[in-house]
Amino acid sequence: MGTSMETGGESPAEFFAENKNIAGFDNPGKCLYTTVRELVENSLDSAESISELPFVELTIEEIGKSKFNSMIGLVDRERIDEELYDDYETAKAREKRLAKEARAQEMQAKNAALGKKFKEQPAAKGMKGRGEASFYRVTCKDNGKGMPHDDIPNMFGRVLSGTKYGLKQTRGKFGLGAKMALIWSKMSTGLPIEISSSMKSQNYISFCRLDIDIHRNIPHVHLHEKRINDDRWHGAEIQVVIEGNWTTYRSKILHYMRQMAVITPYAQFLFKFISDTSDKNVTIKFARRTDVMPPVPLETKHHPSSVDLLLIKRLIAETSKQNLLQFLQHEFVNIGKAHAERLIGEMGPEFSPKMPIKSLTDQQIVRIHQLFRQAKFDDPTGDCLSPAGEYNLRLGIIKELHPDMVATYSGSAQVFEGHPFVVEAGVSVGGKDVKQGLNIFRFANRIPLLFEQGADVVTRTALKRINWASYKINQMQDKIGVFVSIVSTKIPFKGTGKEYIGDDITEIATAVKYAIQQCCIQLKSKIMKKMQAREQQERKRNLSKYIPDATGAVYDVLREMAQLHASKRKHYEEEDADILKKVSARLITKDTLTEKLAQHVEKVDYEMALEYATQSGVSEEPREYIYKRLNLKTNSSTSTVPSLFSD
């Protein structure tokens, strides 16, 4: 694909306009969702880059047809030839539809009178013509670093204007950011995008209204000026009017915002949907829960085992180093001077440490590439990565789901194809607005993945490779939240839309399984303790249930024995005689007996719980109760009363 007009090829802007589905702009609903995503992620990156706790305000405003027409200067026109329109309905068809609706209402009324349940009738399909679109003004405002005044036109109006050279963990999937939203606004509404921006300690706000010349891939600036910044605000506010579909993508957009709040609990989000119909309005505030931010991801150099021929050529073209030895040492990670000299020695006699790097032939570059693939290098470290951290992940889950219990785990850095990656996981049980069964939340470089869930490594692992029952978790009935976040300098996305992580990379699949298992192990001990407490309560309830009957029976026996003893028809030993005297004198009553039996149940229950804990390996002892020691004595010659009442 050529990228310049001189070669007769299409421009990058044209390429993405024609293949907009690649960047997640498949249909109006998805376009609205992807626009929201790109703007929110830009805002978070911008605030984090200056270590500012992010505050992101996102507003979607529904724009009716009349309002849209007045915005573009088009006068509304009444329909004259009704039959011309796609939503035209003949009188006969209308009569038929109304009769059907009346019959359905009649049936509903009849069923309601009889107290029967009835199915809601599906709403009649909206008579909206194919050509009539819905428009939305999307505004995203943040407190980030802002943009230099002179750079704004190119930052928005030129696709692939950056020359990204190093490797870095980044939120975006395509590096297009808001540019694709600008291309979509140009295609669907023709309206320009508006940008306000101010950098820290800047006494003015840059305002820019622009669209993009898609054919030439250059910005078309309508207005670019400096305005007074009285509030000392810094950050960016971007406003774009696009065709979209809120109805079909409402739940996806709200899910996205909620999952963003889970993985970014140090950010505050304010989301608003504004419509002419006030009952459709939505305002949700996702409050900040912590001011602990993960470290900013660092740019790193390429690992020799992860580069291809094209990249080596590009690195050679762009390096400031003069000779081969310096190039190997400074443009890659994990190649020291001694290692570089050994590699050059292995390349053959035509290579030398001092040879000019720009003089390498294509064949010599292939030789370097072959050696990079075969030689042994230390793995890259995960120092350049910025995972959310267990603390933030846990806080986010608690804040948004309110689960009964939660466990988190953060793995150490691992490597695939020369790229370091870190897997973090959280598993929760119970919670608010959580469906029964597995609820899977996937994150890549701290952004939620909402589409193509079935083929994803996280979904497949959670569904097929974890034996939930062995951790005392019921996969079908419990409300289980499974959260897996993968960060890397290169996320191995699959599919053109980069919506899921493939299940074919063993290193990642193994790390995901291990992280989920570690959470489950933590939960198992919590669940066992809960079960133990429940069983203890159940035992106590069962024993306590019989106290009144047992008390009555034992007390009747004691009274009878006391009467026999008093009439001297039967003689008892000293200790037992003492008890029987107390019964006669009503110093021991049925209430005393009830109290003593209840104490006995507590004691037996505690001892059984202790034995259960020892057998099942639960480390924490049940809370200890203090009992008066009870001496259980029996008389060998006669069947006497146990000494429940000894002082």
Side-chain angles (χ1 to χ4, degrees):
M1 182 191 82
T3 55
S4 66
M5 299 314 296
E6 289 82 353
T7 58
E10 60 189 339
S11 76
E14 271 181 314
F15 173 80
F16 281 107
E18 283 168 25
N19 301 279
K20 59 186 189 303
N21 60 305
I22 290 176
F25 285 74
D26 308 44
N27 55 59
K30 187 93 182 283
C31 290
L32 181 63
Y33 164 80
T34 308
T35 299
V36 165
R37 223 203 63 207
E38 292 289 6
L39 295 179
V40 167
E41 285 158 25
N42 278 359
S43 290
L44 289 173
D45 283 338
S46 176
E48 285 172 21
S49 69
I50 53 168
S51 300
E52 189 87 31
L53 288 164
F55 175 59
V56 180
E57 200 173 330
L58 186 94
T59 308
I60 300 173
E61 185 188 344
E62 193 171 30
I63 294 171
K65 186 183 164 192
S66 296
K67 191 173 178 182
F68 175 74
N69 284 351
S70 70
M71 282 168 76
I72 60 170
L74 183 66
V75 178
D76 272 350
R77 180 173 165 80
E78 290 297 315
R79 292 182 180 190
I80 298 166
D81 185 351
E82 285 287 350
E83 289 183 40
L84 186 65
Y85 293 90
D86 187 46
D87 57 6
Y88 173 70
E89 191 178 29
T90 62
K92 198 174 176 183
R94 185 168 182 274
E95 203 177 299
K96 204 173 168 184
R97 176 172 61 81
L98 291 173
K100 192 179 173 185
E101 283 173 13
R103 276 198 307 276
Q105 277 179 336
E106 207 176 301
M107 277 297 287
Q108 275 192 17
K110 228 181 246 179
N111 287 338
L114 294 168
K116 283 185 190 173
K117 284 189 176 177
F118 54 86
K119 274 188 183 174
E120 277 287 335
Q121 287 296 317
K125 283 182 183 170
M127 300 306 291
K128 183 190 265 191
R130 280 192 301 272
E132 195 165 314
S134 301
F135 299 102
Y136 301 89
R137 181 190 279 117
V138 183
T139 310
C140 187
K141 185 177 183 179
D142 63 57
N143 60 340
K145 67 177 177 184
M147 293 162 274
H149 183 81
D150 296 335
D151 294 353
I152 292 172
N154 269 342
M155 287 175 90
F156 286 89
R158 193 189 297 272
V159 176
L160 307 180
S161 59
T163 56
K164 223 164 60 170
Y165 170 55
L167 268 182
K168 194 175 181 182
Q169 171 193 323
T170 55
R171 276 200 174 90
K173 293 180 189 173
F174 296 95
L176 290 169
K179 295 170 191 177
M180 197 61 224
L182 177 52
I183 290 174
W184 174 240
S185 84
K186 176 87 174 177
M187 291 172 79
S188 62
T189 69
L191 287 166
I193 191 169
E194 291 189 352
I195 302 120
S196 299
S197 162
S198 183
M199 300 180 78
K200 260 190 171 173
S201 70
Q202 211 169 263
N203 61 0
Y204 63 88
I205 291 172
S206 306
F207 177 81
C208 190
R209 186 182 296 125
L210 65 95
D211 64 55
I212 185 169
D213 182 328
I214 290 176
H215 187 55
R216 291 161 65 203
N217 190 28
I218 56 167
H220 172 218
V221 179
H222 299 239
L223 178 65
H224 193 187
E225 63 183 18
K226 293 179 179 177
R227 296 176 174 178
I228 298 162
N229 186 9
D230 288 333
D231 300 335
R232 291 278 164 208
W233 166 71
H234 64 84
E237 181 175 19
I238 295 161
Q239 194 172 95
V240 59
V241 179
I242 55 168
E243 183 187 343
N245 189 332
W246 167 253
T247 316
T248 54
Y249 271 74
R250 177 185 190 275
S251 66
K252 279 281 189 235
I253 291 169
L254 294 177
H255 272 147
Y256 171 82
M257 294 305 296
R258 188 185 187 193
Q259 291 193 31
M260 252 316 179
V262 167
I263 202 76
T264 326
Y266 53 87
Q268 181 158 309
F269 298 98
L270 181 61
F271 176 84
K272 287 181 191 167
F273 176 78
I274 300 166
S275 163
D276 290 340
T277 329
S278 59
D279 59 348
K280 278 169 72 179
N281 288 357
V282 179
T283 300
I284 307 174
K285 183 179 178 183
F286 298 92
R288 179 176 293 124
R289 183 67 185 262
T290 173
D291 53 7
V292 177
M293 287 171 73
V296 177
L298 303 171
E299 188 157 278
T300 183
K301 297 192 170 111
H302 294 271
H303 191 269
S305 65
S306 72
V307 294
D308 55 39
L309 265 175
L310 220 62
L311 185 54
I312 297 174
K313 285 183 178 176
R314 195 176 127 201
L315 291 173
I316 288 169
E318 293 179 3
T319 186
S320 58
K321 303 300 168 197
Q322 298 302 306
N323 61 45
L324 181 57
L325 181 71
Q326 290 173 335
F327 174 72
L328 293 178
Q329 242 183 291
H330 296 286
E331 297 299 351
F332 300 94
V333 292
N334 297 0
I335 302 183
K337 191 179 180 190
H339 198 180
E341 285 169 344
R342 284 175 66 196
L343 287 167
I344 294 166
E346 190 61 26
M347 286 173 197
E350 76 267 34
F351 290 87
S352 72
K354 293 271 190 274
M355 70 187 295
I357 189 64
K358 309 281 184 190
S359 72
L360 289 172
T361 64
D362 284 351
Q363 290 82 353
Q364 286 173 322
I365 293 170
V366 171
R367 178 73 192 111
I368 293 172
H369 181 232
Q370 287 174 347
L371 188 58
F372 276 177
R373 293 181 74 161
Q374 295 161 354
K376 193 167 64 184
F377 299 96
D378 288 340
D379 282 340
T381 66
D383 297 350
C384 57
L385 300 177
S386 173
E390 266 191 86
Y391 174 76
N392 275 336
L393 186 58
R394 187 182 203 89
L395 267 185
I397 296 169
I398 291 168
K399 177 168 83 91
E400 292 307 317
L401 269 75
H402 306 282
D404 301 331
M405 54 179 82
V406 63
T408 51
Y409 172 79
S410 187
S412 52
Q414 295 182 59
V415 177
F416 78 96
E417 295 172 4
H419 292 279
F421 72 94
V422 169
V423 174
E424 298 176 292
V427 177
S428 66
V429 179
K432 200 174 73 175
D433 305 330
V434 185
K435 294 198 295 280
Q436 276 189 326
L438 292 175
N439 296 266
I440 295 166
F441 301 81
R442 305 168 293 136
F443 302 93
N445 280 353
R446 306 215 309 268
I447 62 161
L449 301 177
L450 267 63
F451 295 90
E452 297 185 47
Q453 183 160 314
D456 190 275
V457 61
V458 176
T459 310
R460 291 203 168 174
T461 302
L463 287 173
K464 300 205 168 76
R465 300 180 194 129
I466 303 289
N467 180 3
W468 294 96
S470 68
Y471 302 105
K472 309 290 181 197
I473 297 169
N474 186 323
Q475 188 177 338
M476 307 310 290
Q477 289 176 2
D478 287 335
K479 296 175 171 184
I480 311 158
V482 179
F483 304 80
V484 177
S485 167
I486 301 170
V487 295
S488 178
T489 47
K490 185 190 181 196
I491 297 281
F493 286 117
K494 283 283 195 286
T496 48
K498 296 189 176 185
E499 295 291 358
Y500 71 101
I501 297 169
D503 196 26
D504 54 346
I505 296 164
T506 315
E507 297 93 328
I508 291 182
T510 307
V512 167
K513 182 181 177 182
Y514 184 75
I516 295 173
Q517 282 175 327
Q518 290 306 303
C519 294
C520 290
I521 289 166
Q522 293 174 48
L523 285 180
K524 185 180 178 180
S525 70
K526 292 181 185 179
I527 292 166
M528 292 286 278
K529 281 175 196 168
K530 259 196 163 181
M531 283 167 72
Q532 180 196 330
R534 234 190 346 257
E535 282 172 19
Q536 195 176 340
Q537 275 182 325
E538 191 62 31
R539 277 197 310 274
K540 207 153 109 184
R541 217 177 9 253
N542 287 340
L543 284 168
S544 301
K545 202 161 60 181
Y546 299 110
I547 288 177
D549 293 344
T551 304
V554 171
Y555 193 65
D556 288 347
V557 170
L558 283 173
R559 270 203 319 204
E560 213 170 294
M561 288 167 71
Q563 282 166 4
L564 287 169
H565 181 66
S567 62
K568 299 199 174 157
R569 272 185 274 168
K570 196 152 189 184
H571 180 69
Y572 290 94
E573 292 297 318
E574 195 179 316
E575 199 173 330
D576 293 344
D578 190 40
I579 287 171
L580 296 173
K581 277 179 191 166
K582 285 181 179 175
V583 171
S584 298
R586 299 194 64 77
L587 293 170
I588 289 175
T589 63
K590 202 186 271 192
D591 289 346
T592 322
L593 196 55
T594 303
E595 191 186 324
K596 293 285 180 181
L597 270 173
Q599 283 179 9
H600 190 61
V601 164
E602 286 280 5
K603 179 174 186 287
V604 170
D605 185 59
Y606 172 73
E607 284 165 356
M608 283 173 76
L610 203 58
E611 189 183 340
Y612 175 85
T614 313
Q615 283 170 1
S616 61
V618 177
S619 57
E620 196 180 300
E621 271 192 25
R623 209 166 79 228
E624 192 156 347
Y625 294 95
I626 297 167
Y627 297 100
K628 194 183 277 187
R629 287 195 64 81
L630 301 172
N631 301 312
L632 300 171
K633 291 183 181 176
T634 55
N635 187 305
S636 53
S637 59
T638 55
S639 172
T640 62
V641 187
S643 183
L644 282 168
F645 313 107
S646 53
D647 291 325

